[in-house]
């Protein structure tokens, strides 16, 4: 048994929902063998339990099997005994990646620009799993809408939900951080909800504590007549750091190794995430579920690097770039599949075929036995993971095309075979490399980093990421015919991707002026005892409706701050009839 941090040994039986962590049923081996015997040879059991485990900002090197300086024994063990996906790609930042994962849409076909939202009529993975007979549960970060109740997890196919709706909160208080204020939420408050309502009594506790307890609650109290779909979206390794006092139990390994304090603090967050994964594994064993469970471990994008002392620093060594960049360090992430439901013949392999976050929609459709249509661009890798086929169905990846948004500086990128095109000007510092011990006391920011108008000179980059995985040699200006031909082919692919782009709608709620939205947000928060909630509920549903009403009846543009949704509707109807 791998050693556990003492803080989580205390938590192992705190929920009171099942056996203490680390115990296993004496009947387990019989149960596991029975499950494997029922599964077709070299294939998955019918409707396995599925745990979709998503870390936040975990870089390529923020895992032990890629970088020996990080302590992640549970990730390393599951990866070694499972299937490692070495070419798993994402979008360069959070919300578009999560939208792609949940909807099966490639970013350019859905969500890739800040200010967009997933429309109400777009089906999510959780809805497909629920309609296939699964009990469905969400724990952790959402970041897929928060102003209206239809955007919340329990309105999107999840039976239960406990977590925060925005892009980032304080690890202990669950209050909105400076990163998120004015972006996701427009007013300050506690961002922690349970099944759409305030998660009263769950805040002011380290997020790892309530996540661990909720995982056990779901596992040990699930509906046993149904398979389980559990989506755990961790807070680690997102900024800001919770601080040394909170992370001290997870820094032991690094202090023993005499690591730099800056490195130890950031690295402790991924060791904390690893500890939660180990706890999940033990709980699944104790609940006699391990043999019929598939665990899918992913990250939403590459590691964050910004050289600010108070910020969490990711590590993408030896890849180039970071979160928000289209270089490999921003979009190629640690990913693996494990669990007892993984066919025995498939285990212990490393696969180099291309996989994108959007592919999990089509893949889980196959495993769930769903007859639902799959969005174009989502490709099932079930046979590839199981070892039934030798190659991934994906021969290339459209990473970003068309209006990719200001968050990535409007850069586009596509991959086809071993060739990768990056089209656009990269901001200063986004294209740098980190060392295997980044960050440390000698880490300094690249000149011009995050300075407006400071961009790299090159606007077209061509790499052979098979022979040059670290993107060191730009072949875009090579006179060789083969390189000119590849460049033309990739631009043609990019042009086709632009033409087929079908971006999701912009968030109509942003049409309201800031002061009005701020008042409604604060009113909702105060009514919920300090907890934030869907403050646009009951307001006009579309930008056109709001602008039409505001243009004709100017008194609706700035309503008193104590106006609630019902009063707004009444006044709007009265104004229209005037």
């Amino acid at each position: 048994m791998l050693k556990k941090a003492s803080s989580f040994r205390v938590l192992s039986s705190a929920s009171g929902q099942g056996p203490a962590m680390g115990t296993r049923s004496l009947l387990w081996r019989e149960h596991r063998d029975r499950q494997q015997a029922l599964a077709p040879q070299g294939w998955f059991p019918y409707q396995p339990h599925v745990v979709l485990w998503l870390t936040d900002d975990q870089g390529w090197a923020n895992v032990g099997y890629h970088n020996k300086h990080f302590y992640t024994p549970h990730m390393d063990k599951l990866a070694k005994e499972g299937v490692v996906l070495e070419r798993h790609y994402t979008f360069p930042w959070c919300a578009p990646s999560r939208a792609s994962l949940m909807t099966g849409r490639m970013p350019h076909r859905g969500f890739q620009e800040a200010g967009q939202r997933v429309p109400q009529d777009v089906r999510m993975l959780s809805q497909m799993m629920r309609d296939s007979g699964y009990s469905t549960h969400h724990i952790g970060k959402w970041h897929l809408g928060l102003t209206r109740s239809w955007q919340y997890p329990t309105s999107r196919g999840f039976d239960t939900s406990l977590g925060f709706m925005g892009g980032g909160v304080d690890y202990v208080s669950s209050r909105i951080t400076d990163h998120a204020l004015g972006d996701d939420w427009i007013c300050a408050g506690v961002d922690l909800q349970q099944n759409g309502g305030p998660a009263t009594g769950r805040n002011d506790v380290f997020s790892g504590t309530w996540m661990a307890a909720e995982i056990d609650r779901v596992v040990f109290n699930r509906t046993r007549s149904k398979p389980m779909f559990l989506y755990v979206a961790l807070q680690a390794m997102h900024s800001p750091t919770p601080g040394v006092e909170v992370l001290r139990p997870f820094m032991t390994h690094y202090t023993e190794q005499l690591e730099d304090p800056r490195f130890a603090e950031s690295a402790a967050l991924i060791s904390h995430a690893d500890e939660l994964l180990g706890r999940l594994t033990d709980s699944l064993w104790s609940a006699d579920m391990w043999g019929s469970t598939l665990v899918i471990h992913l990250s939403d994008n590459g590691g964050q690097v910004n050289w600010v002392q108070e910020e969490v620093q990711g590590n993408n060594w030896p890849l180039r770039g970071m979160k928000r960049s289209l270089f490999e360090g921003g979009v190629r992430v640690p990913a693996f599949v494990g669990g007892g439901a993984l066919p025995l013949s498939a285990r212990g392999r490393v696969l180099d075929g291309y996989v994108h976050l959007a592919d999990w929609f089509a893949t889980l459709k196959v495993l769930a036995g769903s007859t639902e249509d799959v969005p174009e661009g989502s490709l099932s890798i079930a046979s590839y993971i199981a070892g039934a086929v030798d190659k991934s169905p994906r021969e290339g990846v459209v990473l970003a095309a068309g209006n990719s948004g200001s968050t990535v500086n409007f850069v586009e990128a596509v991959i086809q075979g071993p060739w990768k095109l990056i089209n656009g000007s990269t901001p200063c510092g986004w294209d740098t490399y980190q060392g295997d011990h980044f960050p440390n006391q000698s880490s300094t920011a690249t000149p011009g980093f995050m300075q407006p108008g400071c961009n790299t000179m090159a606007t077209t980059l061509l790499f052979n990421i098979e022979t040059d995985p670290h993107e060191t040699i730009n072949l875009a200006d090579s006179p060789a015919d083969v390189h000119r031909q590849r460049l033309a082919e990739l631009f043609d692919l990019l042009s086709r991707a632009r033409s087929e782009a079908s971006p999701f709608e912009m968030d109509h709620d942003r049409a309201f002026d800031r002061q009005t939205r701020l008042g409604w947000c604060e009113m909702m928060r105060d009514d919920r005892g300090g907890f934030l909630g869907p403050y646009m509920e009951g307001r006009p549903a579309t930008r056109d409706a709001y602008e039409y009403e505001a243009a004709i009846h100017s008194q609706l543009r700035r309503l008193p701050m104590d106006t609630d949704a019902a009063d707004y509707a009444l006044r709007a109807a009265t104004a229209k009839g005037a």
Side-chain angles (χ1 to χ4, degrees):
M1 180 65 67
L2 298 166
K3 73 176 183 178
K4 310 289 185 185
S6 60
S7 62
F8 275 79
R9 190 173 298 118
V10 173
L11 289 174
S12 63
S13 59
S15 66
Q17 303 297 336
M21 181 175 67
T23 62
R24 297 179 181 177
S25 169
L26 295 176
L27 300 176
W28 171 242
R29 290 195 177 276
E30 178 185 344
H31 174 77
R32 181 194 63 184
D33 294 341
R34 182 170 66 252
Q35 291 291 337
Q36 291 290 346
L38 289 172
Q41 181 64 33
W43 195 245
F44 303 92
Y46 176 67
Q47 289 195 327
H49 303 301
V50 175
V51 177
L52 187 55
W53 189 269
L54 185 68
T55 55
D56 200 334
D57 294 355
Q58 181 183 10
W60 177 260
N62 290 130
V63 65
Y65 67 84
H66 282 162
N67 186 347
K68 65 181 181 180
H69 302 296
F70 285 87
Y71 183 67
T72 57
H74 300 100
M75 295 180 193
D76 298 348
K77 184 175 188 292
L78 286 178
K80 181 179 180 181
E81 296 176 353
V83 175
V84 178
L85 304 172
E86 287 288 78
R87 290 281 183 178
H88 192 288
Y89 285 90
T90 70
F91 199 70
W93 65 280
C94 311
S97 286
R98 292 161 196 274
S100 189
L101 178 63
M102 283 289 115
T103 68
R105 311 288 183 98
M106 296 296 290
H108 71 292
R109 294 177 178 269
F111 192 142
Q112 66 175 1
E113 180 186 0
Q116 287 181 285
R117 69 178 182 186
V118 180
Q120 189 172 4
D121 61 355
V122 171
R123 296 267 293 176
M124 287 197 175
L125 176 61
S126 43
Q127 292 167 308
M128 179 188 72
M129 298 298 281
R130 182 191 61 191
D131 292 350
S132 299
Y134 278 74
S135 64
T136 54
H137 311 275
H138 159 258
I139 301 172
K141 181 173 175 175
W142 183 237
H143 210 190
L144 290 174
L146 50 76
T147 57
R148 297 179 185 270
S149 60
W150 62 261
Q151 297 174 303
Y152 281 57
T154 48
S155 296
R156 290 291 206 172
F158 285 101
D159 296 328
T160 68
S161 171
L162 175 64
F164 55 98
M165 298 296 96
V169 296
D170 183 88
Y171 276 83
V172 177
S173 70
S174 296
R175 293 186 62 84
I176 291 302
T177 64
D178 291 339
H179 296 76
L181 187 59
D183 180 13
D184 301 315
W185 294 107
I186 198 169
C187 68
V190 177
D191 180 10
L192 189 61
Q193 63 81 39
Q194 186 165 19
N195 301 330
T200 306
R202 307 300 291 268
N203 61 310
D204 291 328
V205 176
F206 179 45
S207 61
T209 301
W210 59 257
M211 284 188 185
E214 185 67 5
I215 289 170
D216 275 359
R217 187 198 67 78
V218 170
V219 168
F220 292 112
N221 292 276
R222 66 183 180 85
T223 303
R224 297 187 178 273
S225 60
K226 295 182 177 183
M228 178 190 73
F229 173 61
L230 173 59
Y231 172 45
V232 181
L234 300 184
Q235 188 170 5
M237 305 175 55
H238 200 279
S239 280
T241 173
V244 172
E245 289 305 312
V246 173
L247 293 175
R248 196 176 304 281
F250 310 102
M251 295 176 65
T252 303
H253 170 81
Y254 304 104
T255 54
E256 289 176 350
Q257 297 299 314
L258 304 179
E259 297 284 9
D260 186 287
R262 291 186 65 192
F263 179 88
E265 184 174 352
S266 287
L269 272 173
I270 203 59
S271 294
H272 148 60
D274 182 80
E275 187 66 30
L276 280 174
L277 182 63
R279 179 188 174 90
L280 166 78
T281 301
D282 285 331
S283 294
L284 291 171
W285 276 99
S286 298
D288 285 355
M289 294 173 62
W290 180 256
S292 52
T293 297
L294 193 69
V295 178
I296 302 167
H297 182 287
L298 312 170
S299 175
D300 62 344
N301 46 251
Q304 170 184 272
V305 176
N306 63 16
W307 295 282
V308 177
Q309 179 74 34
E310 296 77 20
E311 300 287 349
V312 177
Q313 304 297 321
N315 193 315
N316 305 299
W317 172 83
L319 302 181
R320 186 178 185 179
M322 60 191 70
K323 178 181 178 178
R324 297 177 66 180
S325 82
L326 273 299
F327 289 96
E328 295 289 275
V331 293
R332 185 177 169 192
V333 299
F336 58 85
V337 181
L342 190 66
L344 290 170
S345 58
R347 301 177 190 179
R349 295 180 304 139
V350 177
L351 303 181
D352 293 320
Y354 294 133
V355 180
H356 190 274
L357 279 171
D359 296 334
W360 291 106
F361 195 105
T363 303
L364 292 181
K365 173 201 169 176
V366 172
L367 300 186
S370 172
T371 59
E372 183 163 325
D373 292 337
V374 171
E376 186 175 356
S378 179
L379 306 177
S380 173
I381 56 170
S383 295
Y384 183 49
I385 292 173
V389 297
D390 294 331
K391 294 183 179 180
S392 167
R394 180 173 292 283
E395 297 179 350
V397 184
V398 177
L399 293 170
N403 184 6
S404 58
S406 60
T407 307
V408 301
N409 209 45
F410 304 99
V411 177
E412 303 170 290
V414 293
I415 296 173
Q416 186 65 31
W419 299 97
K420 178 178 178 181
L421 167 69
I422 299 179
N423 182 54
S425 185
T426 300
C428 296
W430 290 17
D431 60 348
T432 56
Y433 298 86
Q434 302 94 54
D436 57 355
H437 274 81
F438 180 88
N440 51 56
Q441 295 297 338
S442 64
S443 300
T444 57
T446 299
F449 180 72
M450 297 303 287
Q451 296 299 312
C454 185
N455 298 310
T456 56
M457 295 297 292
T459 57
T460 301
L461 301 169
L462 175 67
F463 301 107
N464 185 324
I465 55 175
E466 184 175 291
T467 60
D468 180 24
H470 307 152
E471 299 170 302
T472 61
I473 305 173
N474 180 16
L475 301 170
D477 296 325
S478 168
D481 289 342
V482 63
H483 297 149
R484 296 169 68 89
Q485 180 181 350
R486 292 295 177 264
L487 193 61
E489 291 172 349
L490 288 170
F491 267 113
D492 183 59
L493 173 60
L494 180 58
S495 178
R496 294 198 306 271
R498 291 169 180 165
S499 66
E500 69 187 22
S502 51
F504 288 156
E505 64 191 18
M506 299 304 290
D507 187 350
H508 306 308
D509 290 340
R510 301 190 182 205
F512 290 81
D513 65 89
R514 178 180 176 82
Q515 193 61 33
T516 298
R517 288 188 294 135
L518 176 62
W520 285 331
C521 183
E522 291 174 339
M523 179 175 17
M524 170 69 75
R525 175 200 63 199
D526 295 344
D527 287 345
R528 291 161 63 107
F531 286 80
L532 298 169
Y535 62 92
M536 295 299 292
E537 189 68 21
R539 316 299 177 185
T542 67
R543 175 182 296 168
D544 290 343
Y546 168 70
E547 291 179 345
Y548 173 80
E549 294 174 8
I552 297 178
H553 308 289
S554 59
Q555 70 269 28
L556 293 180
R557 182 172 293 278
R558 285 187 180 275
L559 295 177
M561 291 302 100
D562 60 351
T563 302
D564 62 16
D567 189 35
Y568 181 96
L570 177 61
R571 292 178 62 170
T574 302
K576 286 181 179 179

